[in-house]
Amino acid sequence: MMEKISEVKNLAEQFNNGHQEYASFIESDPIRNFLHYPTVEDELGDIRGKRILDIGCGDGLFSRRLAKERGAHVVGYYISPNLIERAQKKESDAHLDIEYKVADPLTFQSPDLFDRAVAVIVLPYSPDIDYIKNFFASARNNLKERGTFVAVVFNPEFRDFNQVVANRFFRKAATAGQVNFDFLDPDTKETKFNANLAQFSKADYERGAREGGFLSVEWKKLTPSEEGVKKLGKEFWEKAGASQPYALIVAQK
């Protein structure tokens, strides 16, 4: 297990080292704010008063959104100490009663169970399939009976590499199954930040969910919110809608 934790920490360093740049970009990132988050929120339904676990919460952007706009009681954790420190500072100003912890799925523990769990672009940073299984098992173990785990992942069926998709540019890495990608300024298309993730298969995720103890797994498409279309226009979202670089996994305990 210590070897797995070390591998995940190495992956997390790409965000820990550039945490301010990354967090600042994500705050206004249209993909995150008008595609990922609204799709997950629609799937969660009414969560007012519910306990939500935000896995891989970063600096708490989605945690704050769920607490402030949806009335949820949120606990978030992430492996990057720098981003959790940033989240805690924002909590001290916002007073949303959100609890943040430095942890990853192999180490996170909670005395209380959750109604829902979410993970937005966290699973693709898993070092291997075994870690995916442990990820799902951790999510399941922290959920109440009939609880739901909703995750946004890099789409296993995405094929439109080496071209701009909304404000992303994806290219296959030299290592099989790995993808390098750039976060682009929505207006200028200038690269603002880059990262690496894995393109696991649907079978990998489904096996991980099944061996992690979930009873069912459903795949769904992501659709930009009306606000996102209004702000950026249909043309911005056209390629994302056609190629679907991301996919939604809904796993039921």
Side-chain angles (χ1 to χ4, degrees):
M1 179 176 290
M2 291 303 296
E3 181 180 351
K4 297 299 181 188
I5 293 174
S6 176
E7 290 176 351
V8 176
K9 284 184 176 179
N10 289 338
L11 286 171
E13 280 303 306
Q14 63 183 297
F15 296 112
N16 198 43
N17 292 337
H19 69 284
Q20 291 185 348
E21 181 183 6
Y22 170 74
S24 297
F25 180 88
I26 290 299
E27 283 182 359
S28 59
D29 176 35
I31 288 289
R32 195 59 58 92
N33 290 283
F34 300 128
L35 184 66
H36 295 166
Y37 293 164
T39 302
V40 172
E41 288 173 336
D42 288 345
E43 188 62 39
L44 291 175
D46 184 4
I47 55 173
R48 183 167 297 278
K50 301 293 186 180
R51 283 178 52 80
I52 306 298
L53 177 61
D54 187 3
I55 303 172
C57 64
D59 79 332
L61 181 61
F62 195 32
S63 298
R64 292 189 294 276
R65 179 166 167 159
L66 294 175
K68 185 176 181 179
E69 300 180 13
R70 305 299 296 274
H73 299 298
V74 185
V75 174
Y77 72 83
Y78 195 49
I79 199 169
S80 164
N82 290 337
L83 284 170
I84 288 298
E85 181 181 5
R86 182 181 170 105
Q88 290 169 337
K89 287 180 179 178
K90 288 181 177 292
E91 169 59 22
S92 66
D93 294 330
H95 303 290
L96 295 170
D97 198 28
I98 302 173
E99 182 181 357
Y100 296 106
K101 298 182 178 181
V102 177
D104 78 273
L106 294 178
T107 61
F108 176 76
Q109 294 182 336
S110 173
D112 302 304
L113 297 177
F114 297 86
D115 298 283
R116 309 278 193 278
V118 298
V120 179
I121 306 299
V122 187
L123 274 163
Y125 294 100
S126 300
D128 54 35
I129 298 174
D130 285 338
Y131 189 84
I132 290 177
K133 179 188 71 174
N134 290 326
F135 196 114
F136 275 103
S138 175
R140 181 195 179 281
N141 291 340
N142 282 288
L143 284 171
K144 297 177 182 178
E145 289 301 317
R146 301 180 183 176
T148 303
F149 174 41
V150 182
V152 179
V153 300
F154 187 65
N155 191 349
E157 299 181 343
F158 177 78
R159 296 295 180 268
D160 290 340
F161 293 98
N162 301 317
Q163 53 188 292
V164 175
V165 179
N167 67 317
R168 299 289 195 271
F169 187 89
F170 302 99
R171 54 195 178 279
K172 291 186 177 181
T175 303
Q178 295 295 308
V179 175
N180 301 323
F181 69 104
D182 299 330
F183 296 86
L184 309 177
D185 183 286
D187 298 317
T188 68
K189 304 303 180 184
E190 175 189 0
T191 298
K192 307 298 290 185
F193 193 85
N194 50 64
N196 306 293
L197 50 71
Q199 188 176 28
F200 293 103
S201 69
K202 278 192 172 183
D204 291 337
Y205 284 121
E206 290 170 3
R207 172 189 165 192
R210 182 178 64 253
E211 294 185 3
F214 281 96
L215 298 178
S216 65
V217 178
E218 185 177 2
W219 291 87
K220 297 187 177 183
K221 292 184 177 181
L222 280 75
T223 303
S225 66
E226 291 183 6
E227 181 183 3
V229 174
K230 183 177 180 180
K231 285 191 173 184
L232 292 115
K234 291 183 179 180
E235 185 177 353
F236 177 86
W237 297 105
E238 185 175 1
K239 187 64 177 178
S243 62
Q244 290 289 315
Y246 301 98
L248 193 74
I249 298 175
V250 182
Q252 190 73 42
K253 181 173 179 177

